[in-house]
């Protein structure tokens, strides 16, 4: 899964984006989901039913993803699995 380091400049930009309310989704990690769907996309082949998001972890990494609003729970599960796998590799 693609993961990027959140720089100070990127954090400032992301902080200007709306937070997606995920209160109805049960997750085991502290994540903030920023809704990037209002940004103009360079890719003309993008699916119009999908939105772009960034899941931000407390350790300064972001997971960009694009999906339908109904698929966010599935994508968050994949992100959490990636976080757990990376944590276990460090041990």
């Amino acid at each position: 899964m693609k993961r990027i380091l959140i720089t100070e400049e990127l954090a400032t930009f992301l902080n200007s984006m709306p937070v997606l309310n995920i209160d109805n989704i049960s997750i085991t990690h502290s994540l903030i989901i920023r809704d990037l769907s209002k940004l103009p996309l360079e890719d003309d082949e993008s699916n119009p039913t999908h939105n772009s998001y960034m899941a931000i972890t407390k350790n300064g990494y972001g997971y960009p993803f694009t999906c339908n609003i109904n698929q966010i729970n599935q994508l968050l599960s994949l992100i959490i699995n990636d976080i757990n796998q990376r944590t276990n590799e460090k041990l």
Side-chain angles (χ1 to χ4, degrees):
M1 174 146 267
K2 184 176 182 177
R3 179 179 84 153
I4 61 171
L5 181 62
I6 304 293
T7 63
E8 184 177 338
E9 184 176 298
L10 182 56
T12 300
F13 169 75
L14 290 171
N15 285 337
S16 71
M17 297 288 105
V19 174
L20 185 68
N21 183 351
I22 57 170
D23 290 341
N24 60 336
I25 299 174
S26 175
I27 57 174
T28 57
H29 287 276
S30 177
L31 296 173
I32 296 174
I33 312 301
R34 294 288 180 174
D35 185 350
L36 308 178
S37 61
K38 302 292 184 209
L39 295 177
L41 298 176
E42 294 178 12
D43 184 5
D44 292 333
E45 298 177 18
S46 64
N47 188 328
T49 64
H50 287 53
N51 291 327
S52 296
Y53 305 96
M54 175 81 71
I56 304 168
T57 65
K58 64 181 176 183
N59 64 355
Y61 286 95
Y63 289 83
F65 63 98
T66 301
C67 68
N68 183 290
I69 190 78
N70 299 324
Q71 298 171 314
I72 289 178
N73 196 15
Q74 294 169 322
L75 268 292
L76 289 179
S77 292
L78 292 173
I79 290 168
I80 290 168
N81 286 340
D82 186 74
I83 292 169
N84 290 337
Q85 182 178 356
R86 290 174 190 267
T87 301
N88 290 337
E89 289 174 356
K90 289 181 182 178
L91 299 176

